[in-house]
Each structure stands twice: as structure tokens, then as C-alpha cells.
Amino acid sequence: VSLVVQKFGGTSVADPDRIRAVADHVVRTREQGHAVVVVVSAMGKTTDDLLRLAHEVAPSPPGRELDMLQTAGERISMALLCIAVWDRGVPATSFTGSQAGIVTDSLHGRAKILEIRADRLKEALAEGHVVVVAGFQGVSRGRDITTLGRGGSDTTAVALAAALGAPSCEIYTDVAGVYSADPRVVPRARLLSRVSYEEMLEMSATGGRVVALRSVEFARNHHVALHVRSSFTWEPGTWVRNEEAPMEQAIISAVTHDTSEAKVTVEHVPDRPGIAARLFRALADESVNVDMIVQNVSIHGATDISFTVPLADLPTGLKVTESLAAEIGATSVTHDADIGRLSLVGAGMKTNPGVAAAMFEVLAEAGINIEMISTSSIRISCVVHRGDVEDGVRALHTAFGLDLPDEAE
Ligand code: ASP
Ligand code: MG
């Protein structure tokens, strides 16, 4: 028997009907001759509700207790799913992250998996049970319960697939797979049948919300193929794995966008060694997550430095930057919370010059001003005014030939 790991997100197990539908699918998979390990998220918006509850009780709950609280969400769905599977005449056993042997470091709220001692899972599988594991959680070496960060169930699933030697991991969600753009913004976005790990990493990092970034990194590092697909239609979706470059590779695979960041500009900073180091060290020490950084050419020994941070980190980022400005000799700090980022992602970019030029031309034609630019070997990102983001995504999607053809009449 070959082993299949299936992960179901919150919407896939949101209510009793959904849980029964998932149980049917798990049993079907088993009847096809597979051993099945299931990883579940908390039902629907449970994690958000639990977090809200904690903050209603006190303004800054301790990390250990927050983790204890949040892991309850996944325990509910794992037990309910096992109950539904047993009802179909198939034995099933649920395991918390701790019982599943998922050992993490002790950083509450964003713990990293250190190792998986999967012997209990292997025993249950050997006895013919369906194994259901609570996603997004583990236990530290000091035996405290930890969580892996929001969206962490994807990471649990990929890590279990790697630890148990499953060749692939199915990520079931409420969309058909990975699209060439967000279908809510671009109705003619197409479902991608396959993308490389590299492309998926860039997409997840720049606004593609289907698979959590860390789980894609994990999958790439451990050679686990991902199959992202719908738990509503059960149709095949998108394969994420190492892709051999096809003969006729499309230059661009997807257009992503992200409106969750703000821009901070430090004006008139002295242009000498050590200034950027001090600024970004101070931000890092306060756990401000800096993303794009642009420094201007200096004029008369002074320059401007702009960077983006998640909107949630903006207040801290501003505080740190403002308090440092005088020390490093900058004249002022400004910010803009009304920005968005447009990105083109495609492995074909490596071998095709002119993609950046074409992107800027499309935005110019749409009357969209570019505020910042950054690139990797397979991505180009532009920061623009937030109000221009959706028009920009549509214009780029069309210009790079990604639109689905008109429906045949
Ligand atoms: N329930 C957790 C969350 O909502 C983990 C997950 O769904 O992957 O972030
Ligand atoms: Mg979730």
C-alpha cells in the first residue's frame, strides 16, 4: 500500500456536512488501496474566534496560554473527523501534534519543527487505521504545547509526508488550485496545472494565499510534491514540484498582488558605512518584518531609504525609525499606508530579456505610477498606489497573455 497524506483546511471541515464529505473521501481513498494520514485545520473561523476571545479576557495574553488555547481548534476537528470515519465502518485514530511526535523549538506562536518521532503514527497505520493529526501544532523539548504560526497546518502535512516517506501531499482547500491571478480580481484567471517550487515560493511570498510559504519551502527542501485541490469538487488541481523546463515555456506564470504592506521613507540620511546596518538591526530587534528596501543615489552625501513592512508592523516600525532618525542624522521619516504590490512571476524570465520593460510599459499605459521596484531571477515587483492595484493586475494579466479565451459560443 502506498501512503497518502491529505490536508484539509478550515473551510473544508467547517460544519458537520463538510466533515462527513471529507470522511467519505478519506474512506474512498483507503478503498483504492492507500494508507491515509489526514491533517486537519480548525473548523471555519475557529482560530480567529479563539484569538478574539483571549484578547477579550486580557490585552496581551502570554504566548504559552495562547498556544494552548489555539490548539484546541484542531483537536475539535480531528476528533469529529474520526467519529465520522468510524461511522463508515473504518477504524480511525486522532493524534494531537504532541502525540504525533512533532517536536518543535519553544517559540510560541511561530515554532519551527525540529523533528518528528512518528512511531505512534506508524503503529496505527500498521493496524490499518486512518490516522488523523491536528495541524499547526507540536510540543517543545521542554514539553510545552506550541503552534507553528497561522496557516501552519500546511506545514504539518508536508512535514508528516516527508517523515513518513509519502511521495506527495494533497492540500485540499476551497478553491480549485493555484490560479494565474486571484480569480476574484481577474475573472479570466486560469487554473495552473503545475508550477515549480520556485514559482510557488515567489507567489506565496507576494500575495498568493493558497499555500503557506513555509510549507512550500519545506516541500522543496524535502522533495515532497504538493497537489493543491478542491474539497468541494474533488477535481485534480495544481501540482507543485520540480518542473523540467518544457520546450515552449510561458514566460510568465502568474500575476500576484498584495495590499497588506505599508511604505516607510527615511529622508536625507547621511550616505556612509554603517547607517543602513543600524537602522535595519534596530527594526529586526523589534521583530519588524522588513520586505522591499530601496536606497536612492546620494546627492551631496545624503540619500533617502524606503522600505515596506506589514501594515500590522507599521506602528512599531515607525516608532523605531523615528527614534533612530535623529541619531543617524536623518531629517525626517514619512510613511504611506496606502500602497499595494504587483508582481509578475515566471521561471521563463531567466532566459527572456525585456520582461521588466514590458511590465513598466503596461503600467505606464494604464496610467499607473511605480513607486518602488524589486526583482529576483523569476519575479518583478512594483509598489503602486493601493487604488491602482486591481486595474494593474488585470492589465498585466491580459498583456502577458494569461487571460482565458472568451467562452466559445
Ligand atoms: N487553524 C490555523 C489557522 O487558522 C492553522 C491552519 O489553518 O493552518 O491559522
Ligand atoms: Mg486556516
Side-chain angles (χ1 to χ4, degrees):
V1 291
S2 70
L3 178 69
V4 174
V5 177
Q6 302 184 328
K7 181 261 174 177
F8 294 91
T11 47
S12 300
V13 292
D15 57 43
D17 282 342
R18 293 295 318 152
I19 289 175
R20 283 195 298 268
V22 167
D24 285 334
H25 185 69
V26 169
V27 169
R28 259 195 321 267
T29 308
R30 194 169 171 276
E31 280 163 0
Q32 287 159 7
H34 299 287
V36 189
V37 172
V38 183
V39 174
V40 285
S41 285
M43 295 169 72
K45 298 257 165 275
T46 303
T47 309
D48 294 323
D49 294 342
L50 291 172
L51 277 173
R52 191 171 329 108
L53 205 54
H55 288 97
E56 277 170 25
V57 172
S60 48
R64 181 187 187 279
E65 302 311 323
L66 265 187
D67 276 359
M68 192 62 99
L69 178 72
Q70 290 183 83
T71 53
E74 271 71 9
R75 294 175 76 132
I76 294 171
S77 35
M78 73 176 188
L80 290 174
L81 181 59
C82 283
I83 291 169
V85 172
W86 274 107
D87 191 49
R88 279 147 185 76
V90 171
T93 311
S94 62
F95 297 91
T96 65
S98 167
Q99 291 176 317
I102 300 175
V103 181
T104 71
D105 62 23
S106 54
L107 279 177
H108 287 294
R110 53 196 165 103
K112 287 210 162 55
I113 297 176
L114 300 175
E115 64 170 313
I116 298 187
R117 301 179 190 148
D119 20 305
R120 273 191 87 178
L121 304 188
K122 287 179 187 156
E123 278 163 29
L125 287 170
E127 283 163 17
H129 282 229
V130 167
V131 162
V132 182
V133 179
F136 156 73
Q137 55 181 275
V139 64
S140 71
R141 294 216 158 111
R143 282 178 294 170
D144 279 322
I145 298 299
T146 54
T147 64
L148 308 179
R150 298 308 304 268
S153 298
D154 289 351
T155 307
T156 304
V158 175
L160 284 176
L164 296 167
S168 67
C169 177
E170 300 182 328
I171 308 273
Y172 287 92
T173 177
D174 54 358
V175 293
V178 180
Y179 281 85
S180 57
D182 185 339
R184 287 167 300 188
V185 176
V186 183
R188 283 160 77 183
R190 54 179 83 211
L191 180 65
L192 303 172
S193 55
R194 39 189 208 190
V195 293
S196 65
Y197 292 123
E198 262 53 46
E199 288 174 313
M200 195 67 233
L201 283 171
E202 293 282 9
M203 289 167 70
S204 291
T206 57
R209 273 157 290 266
V210 195
V211 205
L213 180 62
R214 261 177 69 193
S215 68
V216 184
E217 274 168 349
F218 210 104
R220 181 194 54 185
N221 295 345
H222 297 267
H223 309 288
V224 176
L226 302 179
H227 186 186
V228 185
R229 53 191 299 192
S230 164
S231 68
F232 289 76
T233 66
W234 308 106
E235 294 292 324
T238 305
W239 279 94
V240 183
R241 59 184 162 206
N242 269 331
E243 287 295 335
E244 298 286 317
M247 301 268 283
E248 280 298 324
Q249 188 172 30
I251 298 176
I252 300 303
S253 298
V255 184
T256 55
H257 70 281
D258 181 9
T259 52
S260 69
E261 295 198 322
K263 182 176 77 168
V264 177
T265 302
V266 195
E267 289 173 348
H268 218 78
V269 196
D271 192 9
R272 56 181 151 73
I275 298 289
R278 272 176 72 191
L279 174 59
F280 291 103
R281 167 55 57 205
L283 291 164
D285 285 346
E286 292 297 320
S287 298
V288 175
N289 215 329
V290 174
D291 191 4
M292 274 165 104
I293 302 175
V294 172
Q295 176 175 325
N296 283 337
V297 170
S298 68
I299 302 172
H300 305 306
T303 181
D304 294 346
I305 298 178
S306 294
F307 54 91
T308 63
V309 295
L311 275 170
D313 288 356
L314 181 62
T316 320
L318 278 177
K319 211 168 69 198
V320 171
T321 311
E322 275 160 3
S323 76
L324 207 71
E327 249 179 78
I328 60 177
T331 53
S332 52
V333 177
T334 60
H335 72 276
D336 183 357
D338 215 17
I339 60 159
R341 191 216 294 217
L342 300 170
S343 303
L344 284 183
V345 177
M349 239 181 250
K350 281 184 195 161
T351 47
N352 284 276
V355 178
M359 178 181 192
F360 304 154
E361 281 158 10
V362 172
L363 296 179
E365 217 158 286
I368 296 174
N369 185 45
I370 301 171
E371 299 180 23
M372 292 167 91
I373 299 165
S374 84
T375 63
S376 79
S377 63
I378 62 163
R379 173 187 51 77
I380 304 170
S381 297
C382 294
V383 168
V384 301
H385 186 263
R386 178 153 317 148
D388 288 334
V389 165
E390 299 204 349
D391 286 342
V393 175
R394 284 187 284 264
L396 291 167
H397 198 268
T398 303
F400 282 90
L402 297 173
D403 287 355
L404 278 178
D406 273 329
E407 257 169 291
E409 310 268 319

